[in-house]
């Protein structure tokens, strides 16, 4: 049995293309909403970092809201708690849509701006001025880092859903920082 080699020359390529076009065998655009862009490494890294950062900040906000009697702290702590819960829900939804497993690569890490486990331990036993200082310092550092991370996601991410959430989170961080900066301490 002899195998024949077929070589695609410019002439045969042109003939093949003409045959495909003549038979109507072309791909037509699909009607409906545009397809979302695939998640790139920046998108998934941002999501995987934001989840543990927000989880720790949520714990600090919840501790503060539960333990303080200072009305100047109750409002910001309760507002932060509510915003962080909403962000976490959206971040987890994005992680699921990205197809990346929830492996928790930053579990146990103390990243820049992340509320530390030590801070959470101190907040759990603190009251008054000390609790207020821990909350304000921890949340300011968290929100400052979040703004930076969101700017990076918006600049280098590819998934529109992730970039839209980053923009919303960054706006929220700006608002919360403005509120915290008017809180006396």
């Amino acid at each position: 049995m002899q195998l024949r080699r077929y070589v695609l020359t410019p002439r045969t390529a042109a003939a093949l293309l003409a045959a495909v076009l003549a038979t109507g065998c072309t791909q037509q655009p699909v009607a409906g909403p545009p397809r979302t862009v695939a998640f790139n490494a920046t998108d998934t890294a941002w999501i995987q970092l934001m989840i543990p950062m927000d989880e720790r900040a949520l714990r600090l906000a919840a501790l503060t809201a539960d333990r303080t009697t200072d009305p100047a702290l109750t409002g910001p702590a309760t507002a932060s708690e509510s915003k962080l819960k909403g962000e976490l829900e959206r971040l987890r939804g994005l992680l699921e849509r990205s197809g990346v497993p929830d492996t928790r690569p930053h579990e146990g890490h103390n990243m820049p701006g992340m509320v530390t486990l030590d801070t959470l331990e101190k907040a759990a036993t603190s009251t008054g001025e000390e609790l207020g200082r821990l909350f304000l310092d921890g949340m300011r550092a968290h929100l400052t880092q979040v703004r930076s991370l969101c700017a990076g996601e918006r600049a280098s991410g590819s998934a529109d859903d992730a970039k839209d959430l980053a923009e919303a989170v960054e706006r929220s961080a700006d608002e919360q920082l403005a509120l915290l900066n008017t809180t006396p301490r």
Side-chain angles (χ1 to χ4, degrees):
M1 176 180 198
Q2 182 179 14
L3 294 176
R4 296 182 129 177
R5 291 182 190 226
Y6 291 95
V7 177
L8 190 61
T9 64
R11 185 176 184 182
T12 56
L16 181 60
L17 180 60
V20 167
L21 291 175
T23 61
C25 195
T26 60
Q27 186 175 2
Q28 298 295 318
V30 176
R35 294 185 182 169
T36 58
V37 175
F39 289 79
N40 69 11
T42 299
D43 298 319
T44 56
W46 177 74
I47 295 165
Q48 288 177 323
L49 180 56
M50 285 295 299
I51 289 173
M53 286 194 64
D54 277 5
E55 286 173 341
R56 293 240 191 119
L58 175 60
R59 287 173 58 191
L60 179 61
L63 265 170
T64 304
D66 288 346
R67 296 184 53 75
T68 191
T69 57
D70 183 349
L73 288 177
T74 303
T78 303
S80 293
E81 186 178 6
S82 176
K83 288 178 185 289
L84 288 162
K85 284 179 181 178
E87 282 176 24
L88 279 166
E89 185 176 320
R90 290 181 69 188
L91 285 162
R92 289 180 180 122
L94 278 178
L95 184 63
E96 186 175 322
R97 282 197 303 280
S98 76
V100 174
D102 190 3
T103 58
R104 303 284 175 147
H106 302 289
E107 189 75 33
H109 296 173
N110 286 325
M111 309 297 285
M114 182 180 276
V115 174
T116 65
L117 294 174
D118 185 50
T119 297
L120 290 172
E121 287 175 16
K122 287 178 185 173
T125 59
S126 296
T127 57
E129 293 284 324
E130 178 67 11
L131 178 60
R133 185 188 59 75
L134 289 168
F135 172 72
L136 292 173
D137 290 350
M139 288 305 294
R140 282 183 182 123
H142 168 77
L143 294 167
T144 300
Q145 183 65 14
V146 161
R147 286 175 30 200
S148 177
L149 293 171
C150 289
E153 165 57 24
R154 289 186 309 105
S156 300
S158 67
D160 290 340
D161 290 349
K163 292 189 328 183
D164 290 347
L165 180 55
E167 183 177 357
V169 169
E170 190 173 1
R171 260 193 327 273
S172 176
D174 287 341
E175 292 166 5
Q176 290 179 72
L177 275 170
L179 177 63
L180 293 178
N181 289 335
T182 62
T183 303
R185 281 288 166 239

